[in-house]
Amino acid sequence: MGRHEPATGRRRVPLVLAATAAVLVLGTTGWVVVERATQQPGCAGEDAVRVAVAPELAAAVDRIGRTVADGQCFRFEVEERDPAAVASSLTVADGTKRPDVWIPDSTLRLRRAKAAGAADVPESGSPVANSPVVFAVTEEVARSLGWPDKQPDWPELLASGTPLGLPDPGTDPAGVSALLGISKAFSQPSEVAATMRRLAPNTLPAVADLYARLPGAGSSRQPVSAFPASETSVLRYNARAGVTATPAQLVALYAPQPVPSLDYPFAVLGNAGQAQREAAAKLLRALLEPDGQAALADVGVRTPDGRMLYGHLGDEHVSARTQPLASLPPDDVLDALLGQWAKINTSSRARVLIDVSGSMNAVVPDSGGRTRMQLTVDAAARALDLFKPTSETATWIFATELDGDRDYREVLPMAPVSAQLAAGAAQRLRDLRATPNGQTGLYDTVLAAYRQSRQDWEPGRLNLVIVMTDGRNSDPHGISRDQLLDQLRSLQDPKRPLPVIAIGLGTDIDVPELDAITAATGGRTFVAPDPAHIADVFYGALAGLSCPTAGCA
């Protein structure tokens, strides 16, 4: 592996120093003003250009931005931010300053933000760098596959029985690329499915395995020895491992067929003014020029066409060969692949609706004096452990007029189950109480929850609405059953399934009514005539969701 200096002859800054510089220059999350030595005489004012950048590129963009802004009538305000956080801030009005330019790690971020309703976000941008998605493996695993005498590839790794991890493909572009590579590595769908079952999703914290070393943070229930990540993150980890008492360095294994890499698109958002657009165009040109590419190479990324400017002389942990590029497939292809992953691994996004009408205060026979409400919330609390920790849940309660004229109120916002448990969600559920005189505002609640769940539907997860009730709709001021069913049918999207799962408690429920609601969405109704056994019914319902169709067996 040879060493290639940039065409300008610029001396390479060691990667570990560049990583340290990133911490020093952009050590806090917030807008950082790029200062300049001079300003162009005669400027009537100074235009600020806000630039949100993936953390690994922030130091390089900062450095190039200083040069571009010197002597000009504008300044760059660079923010080092996680791309997922930027995407979230662009789809909700949370008071966060909107950037004029966004450089995330992948075009997939732009497409998903656009699909989620961020109208100002383009679906693509101009790539300024590139980082192949690799399987990072321990040196021990690499040696078992013939390294360093040869460079093992993904099929060899996948066939070896090595414990495999996966960053959540619903939120991480590296996880998506890994699934695409796995789908290309096998000719039979059954082989793809079997390999997906071996992937350990990112779950519990505080386990010192490969999850703790690379992006996709957290860890698995069982230590893993191979983990999809960007080549850049492997280089940055190895740079730290070379000067600290961290575990041994990691080896990057490359896909034999191209998979989408992290392409770092430079995207000018629709809210940018004309002055910001003109300044952004100058920054983009500078990043693509030799000096800009050299600055980016210092932090461990390749050129947009997959070339490594620095060959890492003597470093056999990565390959300096030019990596061929692959485009992201269409959204329907991605959704189908992520849907297969979700069915196999039960990574869910569930909105749970709990009936708190007055009838839930009825004492259940042979339950030790406990009410339907107490049994229901206890089952819901214990069921949190049945979801994958990477799953996300929210909880609403409903009766009539719980929040002004609304029949429902959110008591637990949507968040990962691991975070819910850490924040005491189980006890908060057990503390819920029924409303003494409340009626059952079922129809309005189901429709509101379904609309919200359709709006924030996420690929790569089993998106669900789960209703737990002991009665039938009894809200005289709400919508009718026919209106509800018509609305539910109009909201269906076969490519983005969103079933309603109903769990009926006791003998007063209207089973045909619940069946009609769930059937309109492709869901199912489960009945617990004896509420004392609701836990068994709830657990059985959740267990059945891991493979709702015969095709995922």
Side-chain angles (χ1 to χ4, degrees):
M1 299 180 199
R3 178 186 178 94
H4 304 284
E5 293 293 342
T8 58
R10 181 178 177 278
R11 183 174 63 84
R12 177 192 176 201
V13 178
L15 184 64
V16 67
L17 296 182
T20 303
V23 175
L24 295 177
V25 175
L26 294 165
T28 60
T29 299
W31 294 103
V32 179
V33 177
V34 178
E35 298 180 355
R36 307 184 318 279
T38 62
Q39 179 177 317
Q40 181 70 27
C43 288
E46 189 177 56
D47 294 306
V49 185
R50 294 187 292 273
V51 185
V53 189
E56 58 269 34
L57 297 195
V61 173
D62 173 34
R63 189 156 72 248
I64 295 301
R66 291 174 182 269
T67 302
V68 173
D70 190 27
Q72 302 295 315
C73 296
F74 56 80
R75 72 179 188 275
F76 293 109
E77 296 179 352
V78 177
E79 185 185 24
E80 174 189 326
R81 285 194 70 193
D82 176 73
V86 177
S88 177
S89 71
L90 293 173
T91 56
V92 296
D94 61 357
T96 304
K97 281 187 177 181
R98 297 176 70 84
D100 301 301
V101 175
W102 184 22
I103 310 177
D105 52 358
S106 170
T107 294
L108 185 61
R109 305 280 192 188
L110 301 179
R111 282 169 50 172
R112 286 186 171 170
K114 184 76 172 180
D120 290 339
V121 178
E123 292 186 352
S124 62
S126 299
V128 297
N130 185 284
S131 186
V133 172
V134 301
F135 259 104
V137 303
T138 61
E139 290 180 328
E140 179 182 5
V141 167
R143 289 192 181 95
S144 72
L145 298 174
W147 177 85
D149 295 332
K150 70 168 187 174
Q151 184 72 35
D153 60 16
W154 287 19
E156 293 174 274
L157 171 68
L158 299 175
S160 68
T162 300
L164 306 172
L166 188 76
D168 184 0
T171 59
D172 193 315
V176 172
S177 291
L179 291 184
L180 288 169
I182 289 169
S183 68
K184 291 181 179 181
F186 299 99
S187 59
Q188 298 299 321
S190 59
E191 295 177 308
V192 175
T195 303
M196 285 187 179
R197 290 192 184 98
R198 289 177 50 208
L199 299 170
N202 180 12
T203 56
L204 300 179
V207 178
D209 66 10
L210 201 55
Y211 276 107
R213 308 185 198 180
L214 293 167
S219 74
S220 59
R221 289 184 184 273
Q222 300 295 328
V224 299
S225 300
F227 187 82
S230 68
E231 180 187 68
T232 305
S233 63
V234 173
L235 289 169
R236 292 165 73 87
Y237 171 78
N238 286 349
R240 295 193 302 272
V243 296
T244 64
T246 55
Q249 295 190 341
L250 302 174
V251 179
L253 304 189
Y254 298 80
Q257 300 181 57
V259 297
S261 55
L262 303 189
D263 58 349
Y264 298 99
F266 186 105
V268 180
L269 304 191
N271 57 275
Q274 184 60 33
Q276 284 75 23
R277 290 177 176 275
E278 292 175 358
K282 294 178 180 179
L283 177 59
L284 174 59
R285 284 196 298 270
L287 290 171
L288 294 176
E289 289 173 352
D291 280 349
Q293 289 293 291
L296 291 167
D298 282 343
V299 295
V301 292
R302 296 171 179 252
T303 62
D305 59 1
R307 290 178 294 115
M308 182 180 282
L309 292 183
Y310 304 129
H312 297 277
L313 185 62
D315 184 1
E316 296 176 312
H317 295 80
V318 295
S319 170
R321 291 186 302 175
T322 297
Q323 294 297 313
L325 306 181
S327 300
L328 283 167
D331 285 342
D332 58 347
V333 174
L334 288 178
D335 288 349
L337 183 66
L338 292 173
Q340 183 182 10
W341 158 258
K343 290 173 183 176
I344 290 171
N345 290 278
T346 327
S347 180
S348 304
R349 184 177 176 87
R351 187 164 272 103
V352 181
L353 316 179
I354 298 178
D355 187 347
V356 295
S357 59
S359 59
M360 292 289 284
N361 279 321
V363 175
V364 176
D366 301 322
S367 67
R370 293 198 292 173
T371 65
R372 293 176 181 174
M373 188 74 206
Q374 290 172 318
L375 292 169
T376 299
V377 295
D378 183 67
R382 286 191 284 147
L384 286 173
D385 286 326
L386 294 182
F387 288 101
K388 296 281 186 180
T390 49
S391 293
E392 297 178 342
T393 66
T395 302
W396 292 11
I397 56 174
F398 69 96
T400 49
E401 299 182 346
L402 280 184
D403 186 6
D405 292 335
R406 294 196 305 183
D407 294 343
Y408 50 88
R409 184 173 74 247
E410 183 176 74
V411 293
L412 290 176
M414 188 68 72
V417 168
S418 56
Q420 298 264 27
L421 291 171
Q427 187 57 50
R428 290 182 63 186
L429 288 173
R430 291 188 172 96
D431 290 340
L432 292 174
R433 296 291 181 267
T435 302
N437 299 315
Q439 301 301 307
T440 306
L442 178 64
Y443 296 162
D444 285 353
T445 301
V446 169
L447 181 57
Y450 201 84
R451 283 173 170 165
Q452 183 64 47
S453 298
R454 173 60 69 201
Q455 180 178 332
D456 56 22
W457 191 97
E458 284 193 1
R461 299 183 186 277
L462 284 175
N463 292 260
L464 308 165
V465 174
I466 301 175
V467 186
M468 305 176 72
T469 181
D470 74 337
R472 65 195 70 192
N473 184 75
S474 55
D475 179 7
H477 305 296
I479 61 173
S480 69
R481 172 175 161 176
D482 287 342
Q483 288 174 319
L484 170 63
L485 296 179
D486 286 344
Q487 289 289 328
L488 291 177
R489 294 185 187 108
S490 71
L491 290 168
Q492 296 312 297
D493 182 350
K495 295 181 180 178
R496 299 191 167 200
L498 178 59
V500 173
I501 306 300
I503 300 176
L505 316 174
T507 57
D508 296 331
I509 60 171
D510 187 334
V511 176
E513 177 173 270
L514 293 181
D515 281 343
I517 293 171
T518 58
T521 66
R524 289 184 60 188
T525 300
F526 297 84
V527 179
D530 182 355
H533 297 146
I534 182 179
D536 295 336
V537 174
F538 196 1
Y539 299 164
L542 293 185
L545 297 176
S546 63
C547 192
T549 65
C552 64

